[in-house]
Amino acid sequence: MTAIVSAENLTVAYDDFLALDAVSIDVAPGESFGLVGESGSGKSTLLRAVAGLSPVASGRIMLDGKPLDAKYRDKAFYRQVQMVFQDPYGSLHPRQTVDRLLQEPLAVHGIADAEKRILRALDEVGLGSSFRFRYSHQLSGGQRQRIAIARALIIEPQIMLLDEPTSALDASVQAEVLNLLEQVRRDRKLTYIMVSHDLGVVTHMCERLAVMKGGKVVERLSSADLVAGRLKEDYTRNLMVASKGFVRAASMA
Amino acid sequence: MSTMLTVDDLRVSFPTRTGVIEAVRGVSFTLGRERLGIVGESGSGKSQTGRAIMGLTPAHAKISAKTLNFDGIDLLTAPPKVRRNLRGSRVAMILQDPKYSLNPVMSIGRQIVETLRTHENVSKREARDRAIAMLEAVQIRDAGRVFDLHPHEVSGGMGQRAMIAMMLIAGPELLVADEPTSALDVTVQLEVLGILDKLVAERGMGLIFISHDLRLVSSFCDRVIVMYAGKIVEELAASDLGNAKHPYTQGLLNCMPMLGTDRHPLPVLDRQPEWAL
Ligand SMILES: Nc1ncnc2c1ncn2[C@@H]1O[C@H](COP(=O)(O)OP(=O)(O)OP(=O)(O)O)[C@@H](O)[C@H]1O
Ligand SMILES: Nc1ncnc2c1ncn2[C@@H]1O[C@H](COP(=O)(O)OP(=O)(O)OP(=O)(O)O)[C@@H](O)[C@H]1O
Ligand SMILES: [Mg+2]
Ligand SMILES: [Mg+2]
């Protein structure tokens, strides 16, 4: 396999705290790769490192077989790689209209047809044109999340870094957004790296996944293996058990 | 069971340049010392319902109700100072957007300490110890390190738990938790629910648990309200979710990706205009 994105022994440090500790992953072109694991284990840090937003201490990130700079990313990079952040409140400017938010990436990359693309993007994420002139602070959590997804899709990147893209959505809208993401991946041969704490979502969307804990990848497996319970690590097993829901007696620790 | 909160015909609307947006359109329910779940579609008015109870509705919005009463206090006519005092001590809300709601220029630990010290007379030392204990209670590893971090330096799930710790340290009688566990991995999610569960069972806290996760709500709450387009379309005992009557609720149960089922594309709802009437 020639990977389209890979991380080799990637280490990210904040002072003497290692948010990522020699992490390696390989993602094939057209693949959808999942990241699951404990809160604080470094999932967002890994995506952010690919996007040039984490302080890489050592190791490297390869894109199309070429090593990327530790920090600097040019415009062409963001044409090819888009990220949907975990926290749509932070990533969308609250005083901008939806129209401006969708206009901006088109303008930056000199893409024509803005009008048509904006209307289509809104429609794709299940928000009609009536949302076009709302300010982002006038949207609910899930509506904001969908604008963030529309904003990434609108410039038709090759690779999407998706950090909990549907965790703010109710199941009905989640199903629509997941179907959309699958469809555009198929139609445009996109590659996804997707973080989700919902094992149902990850196994639905991804062929392979990595389980993270404490800044390290503790297990790599296929979704089929996970579903069938063919796993090696206790931590992965705990995740499986916990995903079955809340059991009152068990909580009274 | 004694009622602590009565909401009758609550309405919240926003005037905008392009017309009035009716976010909440006549919501009514009562809450005792129990776990009430609110589920509903994105944009259906769940957060705005919670915010109205807390007095956190944006100033330019229009809000009305036949009754909005917490423990004998008429919330709509209570002066701002009374409501602020309530918010500091007896009622609390875990907001959906934790990082955005935390003060970006103050360390997490200091924010929790200040919350504690505004309503309880404790020494700095004790406040610090209790804040760290609270961070540990919500399963933050390395609570000593996280105490000194600023909101932009913590992960999504850590920010969410910092917010939970800050709201719980005041020991509220009524807690509105808006998607409190949506950023948490499942193992931590269960621990946090365990804490909330204990507060209801042992201290008699009233809990409004807003979530889009129907499976979670049905395993955790006593009763569930289902919202659609600003209204309550169905109310159920949590154990009875399987017998939901409204097509929105029924549809919700069917469109979740589940481990081991292979459905591509996932079934989606065929939303009917009359659901929103
Ligand atoms: N700017 C920073 N300064 C200090 N520590 C940081 C900073 N950014 C991230 N960290 C730390 O790095 C660790 C990994 O964070 P990250 O956001 O990658 O976790 P995550 O796996 O995405 O968790 P979650 O599921 O909760 O979102 C955390 O312990 C966090 O506190
Ligand atoms: N400041 C505002 N101005 C105008 N409309 C607003 C404002 N805040 C919220 N709304 C609208 O009110 C409706 C209800 O919003 P609310 O945040 O209560 O939804 P929600 O049920 O919590 O959704 P989600 O699950 O996506 O968080 C939404 O359609 C939203 O766009
Ligand atoms: Mg994260
Ligand atoms: Mg909300």
Side-chain angles (χ1 to χ4, degrees), chain A residues 54 86-87 134 139 154 175 223 245:
Chain A
S54 296
Q86 180 170 12
D87 160 23
R134 291 249 205 123
L139 302 174
I154 201 167
S223 287

Side-chain angles (χ1 to χ4, degrees), chain A residues 134 137-143, chain B residues 14 21 23 41-48 96:
Chain A
R134 291 249 205 123
H137 72 89
Q138 297 178 322
L139 302 174
S140 77
Q143 290 164 345
Chain B
F14 296 92
I21 295 165
E41 100 146 354
S42 169
S44 62
K46 304 181 295 294
S47 297
Q48 289 301 334
Q96 186 173 5

Side-chain angles (χ1 to χ4, degrees), chain A residues 3-4 9 13-15 51 63 73 83 98-99 114 123 131 143 168 172 182 187 191 194-195 207 212 251:
Chain A
I4 188 166
N9 287 317
Y14 294 102
D15 299 324
L63 180 68
R73 299 285 181 272
M83 176 154 178
V98 167
D99 187 64
D123 182 58
F131 283 88
Q143 290 164 345
S172 70
E182 277 204 312
D187 294 351
T191 303
M194 178 169 177
V195 174
E207 294 92 40
M212 294 187 65
S251 74

Side-chain angles (χ1 to χ4, degrees), chain B residues 160-200:
Chain B
Q160 200 161 41
R161 283 175 288 163
M163 181 92 199
I164 294 172
M166 194 159 107
M167 291 303 129
L168 291 184
I169 203 148
E173 293 160 56
L174 167 65
L175 178 68
V176 181
D178 194 355
E179 305 277 8
T181 61
S182 64
L184 303 181
D185 63 274
V186 278
T187 56
V188 173
Q189 190 173 59
L190 294 191
E191 299 283 354
V192 169
L193 291 182
I195 297 172
L196 296 179
D197 195 52
K198 234 176 176 159
L199 290 173
V200 175

Side-chain angles (χ1 to χ4, degrees), chain A residues 38-39 167 169 176 197 248, chain B residues 141 161 182 185 212 220:
Chain A
E38 198 171 47
S39 170
S167 69
L169 305 177
E176 286 158 18
H197 61 267
R248 182 139 288 117
Chain B
R141 280 166 192 265
R161 283 175 288 163
S182 64
D185 63 274
H212 60 269
F220 177 67

